[in-house]
Amino acid sequence: MTNTEELRRRTGELLAAHPPATTGRLDFLKARFDAGLAWVHYPPGLGGLGAARSLQAVVDAELAAAGAPDNDPRRIGIGLGMAAPTILRHGTEEQKRRFLRPLWTGEEVWCQLFSEPGAGSDLAALGTRAVREGDTWVVSGQKVWTSSAHLARWAILIARTDPDLPKHQGITYFLCDMTDPGVEVRPLRQITGEAEFNEVFLTGVRIPDAHRLGEVGDGWRVAGTTLMNERVSIGGMRLPREGGMIGPVARTWRERPELRTHDLHQRLLRLWVEAEVARLTGERLRQQLAAGQPGPEGSGMKLSFARLNQEISGLEVELRGEEGLLYDDWTMRRPELVDFTGRDAGYRYLRAKGNSIEGGTSEVLLNIVAERVLGLPAEPRTDKDVAWKDLAR
Amino acid sequence: MSTVSMTSAEPDLLYSEEEEALRAAVRDLLTDHCAPADVIARAESDAPHDLALWKTLADGMGLARLLVPGEHGGQGATHREAAVVLEELGRAVAPVPYLTSAVVATEALLACAGDAAAGLLSRLASGRTIGALAVGLHTAPGGTFGAVRLESGLLHGELTGIADAAVADVLLVPAQDGGLHAVEADDVTLTPQVSLDLTRPLSALSLDGVRGSRLGDAGPAVHRALRAGAGLLASEQLGLADWTLTETVRYLKERAQFNRPVGGFQALKHRLAQLWLEAAGLRAAARSAADALAGEQDTDVAVAVAQAYAAPVAVHAAEEALQLHGGIGMTWEHPVHLYLKRAKADSIAYGTAGAHREALARLVGLEAP
């Protein structure tokens, strides 16, 4: 088993062979991947060493201290957080070797073609069709809320391959080349004024069968890996005290005594306490994972942060009074990254509204907690045994 | 302008194997000896406390000595272990003076130097002597508290709202000379007050020329005692919330209406999921407070955060349990009322959530207008 000492030694060897000061960024990242120090819990040959996940921190700390370049994990978050674990778990050896390295180095950005205008919370109702023609699948349909689609080289895609089966059984999972003919990406301007998401229109897109992930008709199970990792990555960031949305509003309170009122003070203190407790809950979850005792708290972290972000940013707009009537900039932009805390209070207020919708609505997540954590009975299902083509829509 | 304290190391928020073993032992004992029906029956009697249970816990299992250092006959364990005991006592709304004697009175004595305090500490550690701090249960750490007159070496005065004084052998009484004095309970006239919480009853004390022994300065001793009481009360509130949630989930899986288990209705599922989220937060906050008390790092903030969060959660859990049990929840025979009464009383004990938020405002530099 790989231990801390061995990781330090391997990291030292990487730095000696490829000094960050004289090595190009991409060359260093490729060398790091090949040394198994990209994600140490991945298998050897695929950027890892089969080590404990918690040991990644040892490598990261050593590399940061040496001033090594990183792979800009936020910019490639969808690839790292969702595509990679799904390819690792369900992909063929050839797919893993083809896709994981450029994914990790950031040479290839990924996006996620899951949601559709008619299939949001009821994702398994999706209607994008994939029809087999020999060794090729011909895909047509419309996807929506696709972050990074305008930057992405590849997409993870789920499509319906058998409309005569019940909705969960007729779905297949593909890796879609975003440069293929028939893929059209249109910006979708949103409540904040910017276009962080896209609509993606797929018209007769031809995907080789070699880019199918998992068995035909097994796409819902494969997508389960993606969705589980999506929620973990949304709720899982590590924060210092006042590290989240509460930070800017607490700073405004301290720096602008003329804005203070007793009513706002009470509300601020309540939210400060709740933010600190949510932070501690996340910290406890991480300690459980590190100790090999995963708890169910992960299901709840996204729920708590969504509500808190909305309440805190709402309070901040009000606290600013006259300034709260203003907005920094309505220009339509297409940002590479979503910056939750970098713009003004009005932006944070509007953007946070999405936190209880994206990656699973709060209503769906409450059902998941009730059924999977508390063991309460599921809602009666009227769609389970009905062919997809016969469902109401 | 104060800046926010950023702790260098995060608190240890998990339970150790030893703590889990301790929990299992306490829970087994309470399952066998602290049935809700017996607690209800006892609550109606003149002697609501269960002294046989106390003897087993404190004397038999040695739990009264957890916070006492080895040289005074203690185990030298920490607040982390005491917190686990309190979680289980909260789950059972056990009518024993653990928080008041083994935590609050013990902490007051730990703040006092000298032989008198040391001797008394050993007696409390044995569990054969019960102590009570004669400060109103509602008092927040740092809050003002009543003190009796000291005239010609004798104590005179009245004090009210003293929790568990009815079973105390020794009372720790603040006096106007600034000292904390140990008084034998037999020398004090005690009048039981009719209390909202039947399982942690309050008493009024009357001292009419009573001789006491001065243990040390009252200010720091009372502050230390109330801070530990407030911090560890969060663990009792966690146990209480955990029991009400678990019991309500169990009931709603069994109870059928409209030809379905009631727990299958989304309107109720969402309420229970929300409670679970709050309880998960309370667990992290309570562990953080216990760990901070044990390590004396970031303690004031951790205790204030835990108490500002705990009371609304515990009360909400008990209120939801009552509502979701329907009519049976309103009856005297169902134990949910014991939990509601304890939760509501706990929301005032050692300072309300509002008092702790005010403390926090000063601690983290978010001053009022």
Side-chain angles (χ1 to χ4, degrees):
Chain A
M1 194 66 194
T2 313
N3 60 26
T4 304
E5 278 317 301
E6 192 188 336
L7 284 179
R8 288 220 174 91
R9 182 179 59 73
R10 285 174 182 261
T11 307
E13 285 171 7
L14 171 71
L15 288 165
H18 305 273
T22 55
T23 310
R25 179 174 174 276
L26 192 56
D27 287 339
F28 184 88
L29 292 174
K30 287 176 178 173
R32 180 177 165 186
F33 187 93
D34 296 338
L37 298 171
W39 32 35
V40 297
H41 57 291
Y42 270 47
L46 297 173
L49 297 165
R53 190 181 196 128
S54 54
L55 291 175
Q56 184 67 43
V58 176
V59 176
D60 292 347
E62 299 272 315
L63 291 176
D70 81 356
N71 60 346
D72 202 353
R74 287 187 58 206
R75 196 176 66 87
I76 56 172
I78 293 169
L80 288 174
M82 295 170 231
T86 314
I87 293 169
L88 179 69
R89 173 132 177 226
H90 301 280
T92 61
E93 283 310 307
E94 203 179 331
Q95 288 168 339
K96 291 178 202 174
R97 289 192 188 282
R98 162 64 187 86
F99 290 110
L100 289 176
R101 190 172 184 255
L103 182 158
W104 188 85
T105 60
E107 288 164 273
E108 292 179 348
V109 173
W110 286 71
C111 67
Q112 182 191 24
L113 296 175
F114 277 25
S115 294
E116 298 184 4
S121 288
D122 187 9
L123 179 60
L126 59 89
T128 292
R129 287 295 313 275
V131 178
R132 190 161 194 158
E133 285 183 10
D135 276 348
T136 304
W137 295 85
V138 181
V139 181
S140 294
Q142 185 192 343
K143 298 287 180 176
V144 74
W145 317 130
T146 316
S147 310
S148 304
H150 54 297
L151 307 167
R153 174 67 175 77
W154 290 95
I156 44 179
L157 164 73
I158 45 180
R160 184 153 310 280
T161 44
D162 190 343
D164 295 325
L165 290 175
K167 64 180 184 181
H168 293 95
Q169 295 168 30
I171 295 173
T172 303
Y173 200 116
F174 299 97
L175 307 176
C176 173
D177 186 337
M178 293 294 285
T179 64
D180 271 350
V183 177
E184 189 198 348
V185 176
R186 294 184 202 161
L188 186 56
R189 195 173 191 209
Q190 67 210 53
I191 188 170
T192 55
E194 64 187 17
E196 171 197 317
F197 309 126
N198 301 276
E199 302 177 286
V200 179
F201 295 83
L202 305 163
T203 313
V205 179
R206 300 182 72 83
I207 298 180
D209 190 54
H211 289 172
R212 168 168 52 81
L213 198 64
E215 298 303 314
V216 174
D218 199 31
W220 186 251
R221 194 175 67 89
V222 179
T225 304
T226 310
L227 296 174
M228 198 176 64
N229 281 285
E230 177 175 26
R231 283 166 198 154
V232 169
S233 68
I234 287 175
M237 58 279 195
R238 183 170 205 164
L239 296 172
R241 181 175 290 162
E242 290 194 6
M245 284 267 188
I246 197 72
V249 68
R251 277 194 294 282
T252 303
W253 185 270
R254 292 189 185 106
E255 290 162 7
R256 307 275 303 277
E258 77 280 7
L259 297 176
R260 298 175 191 167
T261 71
H262 288 283
D263 167 57
L264 290 166
H265 190 231
Q266 288 305 312
R267 289 160 59 194
L268 173 64
L269 288 173
R270 275 175 209 273
L271 291 170
W272 195 95
V273 167
E274 289 183 25
E276 174 67 2
V277 171
R279 187 185 76 82
L280 289 167
T281 308
E283 179 58 31
R284 187 171 139 77
L285 175 66
R286 265 182 299 280
Q287 291 181 9
Q288 284 177 302
L289 290 172
Q293 328 158 346
E297 282 83 351
S299 329
M301 292 310 299
K302 181 180 175 291
L303 278 163
S304 300
F305 278 115
R307 185 185 56 77
L308 270 170
N309 285 348
Q310 293 171 354
E311 290 188 23
I312 292 167
S313 58
L315 176 75
E316 191 182 358
V317 170
E318 218 177 311
L319 167 64
R320 287 180 173 272
E322 186 179 347
E323 283 168 38
L325 295 169
L326 307 177
Y327 190 78
D328 62 354
D329 185 5
W330 289 115
T331 310
M332 185 180 121
R333 295 186 258 182
R334 303 186 79 184
E336 251 189 70
L337 282 176
V338 189
D339 190 351
F340 288 105
T341 52
R343 286 180 59 179
D344 74 352
Y347 174 86
R348 286 194 279 278
Y349 171 70
L350 296 173
R351 181 59 186 82
K353 293 297 165 215
N355 292 165
S356 53
I357 302 170
E358 58 202 337
T361 63
S362 291
E363 288 70 21
V364 165
L365 293 180
L366 285 169
N367 280 348
I368 289 175
V369 168
E371 291 170 20
R372 299 197 195 153
V373 180
L374 298 177
L376 289 163
E379 290 287 305
R381 298 291 295 267
T382 57
D383 58 353
K384 220 172 165 181
D385 302 315
V386 181
W388 174 83
K389 64 179 169 54
D390 297 327
L391 293 174
R393 76 184 132 255
Chain B
M1 197 77 215
S2 57
T3 53
V4 181
S5 58
M6 293 292 177
T7 48
S8 51
E10 293 294 347
D12 176 3
L13 301 172
L14 305 183
Y15 300 100
S16 68
E17 278 179 37
E18 293 76 15
E19 286 161 3
E20 289 294 2
L22 174 64
R23 175 201 305 290
V26 176
R27 188 179 292 191
D28 280 354
L29 184 82
L30 292 171
T31 304
D32 293 343
H33 296 287
C34 193
D38 298 336
V39 179
I40 294 172
R42 201 180 299 281
E44 294 178 281
S45 74
D46 290 340
H49 291 96
D50 186 343
L51 289 179
L53 178 63
W54 168 256
K55 189 171 163 49
T56 313
L57 287 165
D59 193 357
M61 295 179 74
L63 299 183
R65 62 173 67 105
L66 286 181
L67 296 179
V68 179
E71 67 262 32
H72 299 299
Q75 288 202 342
T78 72
H79 301 78
R80 294 176 53 89
E81 286 85 1
V84 170
V85 173
L86 279 162
E87 281 183 32
E88 294 309 310
L89 294 175
R91 286 179 58 84
V93 278
V96 292
Y98 189 83
L99 183 62
T100 46
S101 183
V103 175
V104 173
T106 297
E107 287 277 344
L109 292 171
L110 285 167
C112 301
D115 292 344
L120 200 43
L121 203 50
S122 303
R123 285 172 62 196
L124 293 201
S126 76
R128 290 176 198 156
T129 297
I130 295 171
L133 180 69
V135 169
L137 181 63
H138 65 285
T139 314
T144 54
F145 50 89
V148 298
R149 298 187 315 280
L150 183 65
E151 288 171 13
S152 318
L154 299 177
L155 298 163
H156 300 264
E158 322 280 327
L159 295 165
T160 56
I162 312 304
D164 293 339
V167 285
D169 304 291
V170 181
L171 298 159
L172 310 181
V173 181
Q176 286 165 359
D177 69 332
L180 187 67
H181 299 259
V183 172
E184 293 299 320
D186 289 344
D187 298 337
V188 175
T189 307
L190 182 141
T191 311
Q193 296 178 286
V194 180
S195 306
L196 176 66
D197 177 3
L198 296 153
T199 58
R200 183 178 284 145
L202 308 178
S203 304
L205 307 180
S206 176
L207 288 76
D208 184 16
V210 175
R211 188 166 299 282
S213 52
R214 194 179 198 277
L215 300 163
D217 291 338
V222 170
H223 184 261
R224 175 171 172 169
L226 297 183
R227 188 176 76 165
L232 294 193
L233 179 67
S235 290
E236 176 180 299
Q237 289 163 309
L238 167 62
L240 195 153
D242 196 44
W243 184 91
T244 52
L245 174 60
T246 305
E247 194 57 26
T248 307
V249 167
R250 189 190 64 73
Y251 179 71
L252 293 193
K253 285 185 203 171
E254 283 175 6
R255 170 79 172 165
Q257 297 276 270
F258 308 103
N259 197 35
R260 281 168 66 183
V262 172
F265 287 95
Q266 193 172 67
L268 306 192
K269 284 160 74 172
H270 284 194
R271 283 164 68 170
L272 290 164
Q274 183 58 39
L275 274 184
W276 177 83
L277 279 179
E278 292 174 20
L282 177 50
R283 189 174 300 281
R287 277 277 93 185
S288 157
D291 193 66
L293 283 162
E296 291 174 31
Q297 271 232 329
D298 198 34
T299 312
D300 290 331
V301 171
V303 167
V305 166
Q307 267 312 312
Y309 189 76
V313 171
V315 171
H316 185 212
E319 288 178 346
E320 288 284 78
L322 194 155
Q323 171 67 21
L324 297 177
H325 274 81
I328 188 72
M330 275 304 284
T331 65
W332 190 266
E333 69 182 282
H334 192 282
V336 74
H337 68 93
L338 293 175
Y339 289 82
L340 180 64
K341 291 162 187 170
R342 173 70 75 85
K344 199 65 185 170
D346 278 356
S347 76
I348 299 167
Y350 307 116
T352 61
H356 288 279
R357 281 195 295 270
E358 277 177 34
L360 208 47
R362 290 188 297 275
L363 290 166
V364 302
L366 293 170
E367 279 85 359

